[in-house]
Every structure is written in C-alpha cells, then in structure tokens.
Amino acid sequence: MTDSIQPQFILSTPPAFELSALVAEMPAVLESGAPIACVRLTDQGMDEDALRLAADSLRPLAHERDLPLIIDTHFRLAQNLGLDGVYLTEGPRNYQAARKTLGTDAIVGVF
C-alpha cells in the first residue's frame, strides 16, 4: 500500500502587520498542528529594509521547525537573504530569471 499525498498549507503573513506582534504570535501558529508546507512573507508595499527585517525575524522561526521561508516577487532579495525561495505573484513572466538566480533547489512558485 502506498502513502497518499496529504495537502499542506502555505502560511502567508497578513497584508499588513506589526513585526513584533507577528513574531510573538508565530510560534503558536506554527505549532498549532496544521499541516504547513512553508511560510510566505507577503510584500504589501514594504520597502526593502522592512522586508529584510521581517525575513531576518521570521527565518529562524520557520527553520527551527524545518519549514522553508519564501518571499513574494523579490527573487534577488530572496537570494541575498538566503531564503528558500520566491512566490511570483505576477504570473510566470520572471520564472526563468528566478530559477536561474535561485538555482534548482529553491522553491519557485507562480500564481
């Protein structure tokens, strides 16, 4: 008998958030027992410094639980920050560039 594939969730950050509150609440969410595939840092008009700070704060929380951390759209920033991948929100237009930049082991999701 083969194991069936079980669905998992992508845990996305809210559209707007207070970083300290999100970091404080994230462990409980990650340990809730929900089948989470990865944590997705959404980009809702955040500047690069804010994205860097958020990624640096969320990365250890995700990685301590063997969950990848991905970021919306910014595949070069994902590479610079050592994130596990990118979620391209504007379709496959930048897929080839993202794959080339991040390599074959990275997650490259496309909406």
Side-chain angles (χ1 to χ4, degrees):
M1 180 175 210
T2 61
D3 293 327
S4 63
I5 298 173
Q6 298 298 315
Q8 294 181 308
F9 298 106
I10 296 173
L11 180 63
S12 298
T13 58
F17 57 86
E18 170 64 41
L19 183 57
S20 61
L22 181 66
V23 169
E25 295 172 13
M26 188 65 76
V29 173
L30 294 174
E31 295 168 8
S32 68
I36 299 170
C38 68
V39 177
R40 175 180 159 206
L41 175 57
T42 59
D43 171 15
Q44 299 295 322
M46 297 170 72
D47 65 29
E48 189 171 314
D49 289 338
L51 286 169
R52 285 178 183 278
L53 183 59
D56 287 343
S57 299
L58 296 174
R59 184 187 310 101
L61 296 173
H63 286 180
E64 286 170 0
R65 293 158 180 87
D66 293 322
L67 293 172
L69 177 62
I70 63 174
I71 191 170
D72 278 359
T73 310
H74 302 279
F75 58 89
R76 289 180 185 88
L77 187 58
Q79 180 191 36
N80 292 342
L81 294 174
L83 301 182
D84 303 293
V86 65
Y87 186 75
L88 302 173
T89 59
E90 298 176 359
R93 178 179 61 193
N94 290 320
Y95 176 82
Q96 293 296 335
R99 176 57 67 204
K100 183 177 180 181
T101 299
L102 296 173
T104 58
D105 290 336
I107 298 167
V108 178
V110 178
F111 177 75

